[in-house]
Amino acid sequence: MSFLPSLLHPALLWFLPLAAIPLVLHLLTLHRLKTVELSTFRFLFDSYVQQRRRMRFLEALLAMLRTLFLLLLVVLFMRPVIKNWGNLFGAEGGTGGREVILLMDCSASMNARSAGVSAFDRAKKAAASVVERLGRDDRLTLIRVGATPEELFSRFSTDTKGTQDKIDGLKTTSSRANIFATLLQLFGPEASRRSNPIVYLFTDCQSSGWLEVRNQGLERLIPAGTPFVVVNVGDKEPLPNRAVVGDAPRRNRAIAGLPIVLRPHVVNYSKTETAELTLSVFIDEKEVTRTPLVLKPGESATRAVDYLPREPGLRRGRFEITGKTADRFPEDDRFLFTLSVEPRVKVVLVSSNTAADPEINEGRYLYTALTSRAEASDGSAGGTPADPVAASKDFQRSLDVREVTEAALNAETLRDASVVVLANCGALNAQQFDWLRNFVRGGGGLLVFPGDKVVPDTYNNAFFPVPGPQGESLTAARLGAAEGDPNKLETFEKLAAIDFSHPALSVFDNPDPDARHFKTVRIYKRFKMQLPPKRGNAWPLMKFASGAPALVESRLGDGIVILSAFPAHTRWTSLPVKPDFVPLILRLASHVEHRPEVEVSPVVVADSTAEISVSNAWSPAEASVKDPAGHLLTPSLERSGARLLGAFERTGERGYYTVDVRGSHLGQPKAASLAFAVNLAPEESDFTMLDEKAMRALLPGAELTFVDASAEAQAEKGSLGKEHEVWPVLIWGAFLLMAIEFLFATVGGKRGDTDEPTSVRQRILGMSPGSWVARMTGAGRQNAAEG
């Protein structure tokens, strides 16, 4: 360890000459002996000379002690201090002419506190100590290390105050550090050449910041022999910590009146301590539920919380944990999220007949599937996650189904609709076709189940093609003539090839061949559907055993179209009476559900990208984002396919961000207000630390110096650059000098001018404070000589 002295009152150095007073008095009191030739006293004279030499030595020694005492007294008033620098400056110390690079770890974990001081505050003080020791010729570069490194300035170190202000103004981010990206920016192929660099990294040595370094390595990246000083300002041991790290709601689009399941996930990262916690869920600052938790060391738990939004609108929520003991890193005790609560999904079922008899009413089976309230088993009631009915139950409860005739289909009917289902509609006119195409282009969902009243050529020529030079179409599929005879069972078809990877069909996937869905379905009559060699915007979801498409998905603009080769009634197929029919219709309706005209990522990790998506129908549109501090930012929106997309990257601060979008829809001004939440990077909650050995393995080729400025080390030796006054030691030294001088002056000094011996007891009794002070300064000798 390196300790460097300094003085708090260096101006008192002018008083140091006072220490020479005893020497001056000693020299002034010296006198020469007169020589008297007395042969009879030769022997006595030789003895006197010997005693005189001894007395002169003692007098010189006393003068030195008195001088040292005064010198110590002056130094004591100057208040000398020493500073603990550790090995912060390595072997080369503070030599000038170097390019000094300060890397400040600004990750969220730097806010962890030990002994009431955060690691980030210790890092600032250590960095300020380095700046104080820089030479005038040193060039200083300050880099803020987060998920993305940010160079704050690069200049000569003469502007100490400006540099100190920059360091004091640093703030932590909510993300983790990325050491690899920082070093790549400094020494990578695209970085400028650096002359004679020395790198200081002030960090808590959290393992998560070195993830990319461990995965990719730094071989040949840092120039060999580059001095690299790692200043550990964290803790030597892993910090006991508990955190709530999610999960975000599975579905950001909640439906008013429909329960949504929230799943907070809590982790106890401590290896030795059991955490007794209380988990609370808040929605718009109102506590929804409170649950006690006891987590053993290293244990985690997830709790399912049902929340019922009653009104449409934007909700801001959070998961929060509190404990019986104080948390030294409380930043991860909250997890924020947002919910966009929407009205019930409006479904318009257009049927060619509304009679009560399902044999006559083409849409009766579809209406029953969309509106049935029969209870189905779910996971909480013993159902299995793969149960299609259980997986579709909640969506069914969110539907608001309206059945209309073909003649009643108009623009007003489609205004607020999310899904339109056509049940054997063969009497639609050109205007209605146009309304339906615009509905799909704007993001609506369309399910088409043709039957015996549909003329394939009418759909192929008047409905599917989109007027205009672009050559677009509602679907690239074409309906051919109907095949099969319901009265001849040998003409039926089976569903053979099903795309179970599709979102609408994945719930039906079952590895057990005996439990495969749709295997008993018979299609007695169907339209021969064809896809062009270049399928364009159409691809099959189901195929018959013959290879012909049975169910085709297409996209136009922002909407989705599902075209079936058969109707949904029992005269042409047995599917409506099979258990798979209801979940299939619900899953298809959920899949094609009208996409929101404005969307934003509900929850993002700090320093990641929040995506803003706006329907092309709003073009031209503009967006603005207000961060938690109230700053207004305007990300640009660029056309990408059927949407306008914007990327908002300034998400370094945790909290709620408000997004306002303005545009026009069909010539009418439109506006929407959404929000998203930014949370800490989950890796910041795990305080697994790297030691010096691990650092050396991760920084090959660098001339590494590891400085222990951890909370434990600073509690023992003080912070780097901290001044330690040494006046107690100097006072004890002054008392020691006084004792030694007293001993020599009273015991070993000159006995006086009389020939009579004087005992030590007599000399002590004959002392007075005035005479002792006189002897201390040498004045007593002078008075004796004058007498």
Side-chain angles (χ1 to χ4, degrees), residues 102 104 123-124 127-128 131 142 162-170:
L102 303 185
M104 293 292 295
K124 286 183 178 181
V131 173
L142 179 63
T163 301
Q164 186 61 52
D165 291 342
K166 281 287 188 180
I167 294 176
D168 292 339
L170 283 172

Side-chain angles (χ1 to χ4, degrees), residues 84 114-115 117 122 234 236 708-720 722 724:
N84 170 30
S114 297
V117 181
R122 290 192 290 270
K236 289 184 178 179
D708 184 8
S710 61
E712 296 86 349
Q714 295 198 17
E716 179 182 353
K717 302 173 183 177
S719 60
L720 296 177
K722 183 178 180 180
H724 301 270

